[in-house]
Amino acid sequence: MNKRLLCAALLWLPVFASSAAPTKVSEHVLGNGLKVLVKEDHRSPIAVSQVWYKVGSSYEPGGITGISHMLEHMMFKGTDKHAAGEFSRIVAENGGEENAFTGTDYTAYFQTMEASRLAVSFELEADRMRNLHLLPDELKKELQVVTEERRMRTDDNPQAKMQEHFNAMAYTNSPYKNPVIGWPSDIENYKVEDLQAWYQRWYAPNNATLVVVGDVEPKAVFALAEKYFAGLKPSELKPLKPQAEVEQLGVRKMTIKLPAKLPYLVMGYKVPVLKAAEHEWEAYALEVLAGVLDGGSSARLESGLVRGKQIAVSVGASYSLTSRLPELFTLEATPAEGKTVWNLESALKDEITKLQINLVDKDELQRIKAQVLAKAVYERDSGFYQAMQLGMLETVGLSWKVADEYVEKVNQVTAEQVRDVARKYLIEDRLSVAYLEPLPITGNITETKTTKGVR
């Protein structure tokens, strides 16, 4: 369930944090359109507050790619009421932590504070939702920061840079072809006017969801939200153009030559997601299929290709069923010494073929489902990820109520359905492949397994 994501300090975990029990969420919509979601968790005197905006890199037209991420940086640069840097200082003085992240389908801002300080968070977020200062001098400073961020995380990381080129090839006209951080020439040419227009268009209460999880009482949170956010004016929001990906007519392949220590392979099949699948079960079956291949050390890829045949030093599969637009089912691998990316490609295709021919046996299927449930229960320990689950589902156009259905829907997946989605979607005409061909290293190179731009 990896997702392309950029933020200052965030570890990405699977999105679903509910157990089989219903998620006790209270919902309230302000007169200006702001949706407020509250989930009580009284295990510690903490409250996590997050504001999610329905805008990310997939909303951006050519010429200003990465502007959602750039605006995220600028949101800390002051308002009429608070000077640049004051936001973070005030949160810190109140014993809190704060940050933000941008993805393909959303931009979100969060604070974690002692529950009695929730009003501090609301006052600050309401202020910058409509009163942000966008100043040329501050933009100049942040352009340098983002340029350096891109250099460190993409340009100096051969696997990340390869992933960027791979996405640009795999998608023809879907906005997922563009990197969340933006293309270099676009970053270099942002103007204050570009950011101001983007801010005015998308940063509005009727394009946002406020999520609070922690030691709180819903009615009190709703009253506090009314106090700080109700006076903000909504915007007239025009629907996005569809930007539907055109049909792929055959396998696509590319070779990327970069200074690197090891070769690398990325394969991606175009697949549906929960929001737009022809049949809802297909998305959950693809989720289970990813678990069969890469659901821990006993899963097929790790046990078969790393420990068994010993042709890979690392291998993985990923799928994000909750994306706003159709996604890729991705396989990534690094060959073992003496093996090639072509050996790996052949071996990975063999694993896919097995799934297309033979049903997953009952014990293996049950093990994968048990892992899903175990993860869901474990993740309930994090208030942050409970809030992230609710905000993300709402922002991509699903509903937070989907979280209640997740474990049940996964448990309903049959071996026949896993086989059927493998046959229908994991085929050559939906496949894109990229090979990293290492060149001699002349400078500092960072090599880590990429997770689609996680920052």
Side-chain angles (χ1 to χ4, degrees), residues 82-142:
H82 299 291
E86 283 290 289
F87 189 107
S88 298
R89 182 187 63 78
I90 292 171
V91 171
E93 284 182 350
N94 281 273
E97 298 177 348
E98 45 80 38
N99 220 311
F101 52 90
T102 304
T104 51
D105 302 322
Y106 40 71
T107 309
Y109 301 83
F110 62 89
Q111 296 84 45
T112 300
M113 308 176 78
E114 199 274 326
S116 66
R117 299 289 194 271
L118 190 60
V120 175
S121 174
F122 280 17
E123 188 274 327
L124 291 170
E125 287 290 8
D127 183 35
R128 67 176 175 179
M129 183 178 284
R130 279 315 216 182
N131 303 307
L132 184 66
H133 275 176
L134 290 165
L135 303 175
D137 287 347
E138 294 295 341
L139 175 58
K140 186 176 180 180
K141 295 176 187 175
E142 286 307 305

Side-chain angles (χ1 to χ4, degrees), residues 23 26 117 218 246 256 312 327 339 394 449:
T23 306
S26 300
R117 299 289 194 271
V246 299
I256 304 294
E327 262 279 7
K339 303 298 181 180
E394 284 291 326
K449 181 179 178 181

Side-chain angles (χ1 to χ4, degrees), residues 222-347:
F222 295 151
L224 208 59
E226 290 280 357
K227 176 180 178 180
Y228 289 102
F229 290 94
L232 303 179
K233 293 182 179 180
S235 288
E236 181 182 350
L237 299 171
K238 296 180 180 179
L240 284 175
K241 299 293 184 183
Q243 293 182 281
E245 175 72 4
V246 299
E247 181 184 3
Q248 186 170 329
L249 302 177
V251 64
R252 301 173 183 176
K253 295 189 176 185
M254 72 188 312
T255 298
I256 304 294
K257 298 181 180 181
L258 290 168
K261 296 177 182 178
L262 297 170
Y264 196 64
L265 171 72
V266 179
M267 300 168 58
Y269 296 88
K270 287 198 174 81
V271 293
V273 292
L274 186 57
K275 186 179 177 184
E278 183 180 357
H279 305 287
E280 182 185 73
W281 64 262
E282 291 183 332
Y284 291 103
L286 286 165
E287 183 88 335
V288 173
L289 175 54
V292 170
L293 292 173
D294 188 21
S297 60
S298 60
R300 294 190 180 190
L301 297 184
E302 179 74 20
S303 62
L305 304 189
V306 178
R307 297 197 308 275
K309 296 180 180 179
Q310 298 185 352
I311 64 173
V313 293
S314 68
V315 63
S318 62
Y319 167 65
S320 179
L321 84 166
T322 55
S323 295
R324 187 174 67 89
L325 300 172
E327 262 279 7
L328 295 175
F329 187 102
T330 304
L331 303 167
E332 302 171 274
T334 300
E337 186 175 358
K339 303 298 181 180
T340 69
V341 288
W342 298 283
N343 296 143
L344 271 181
E345 180 183 2
S346 177

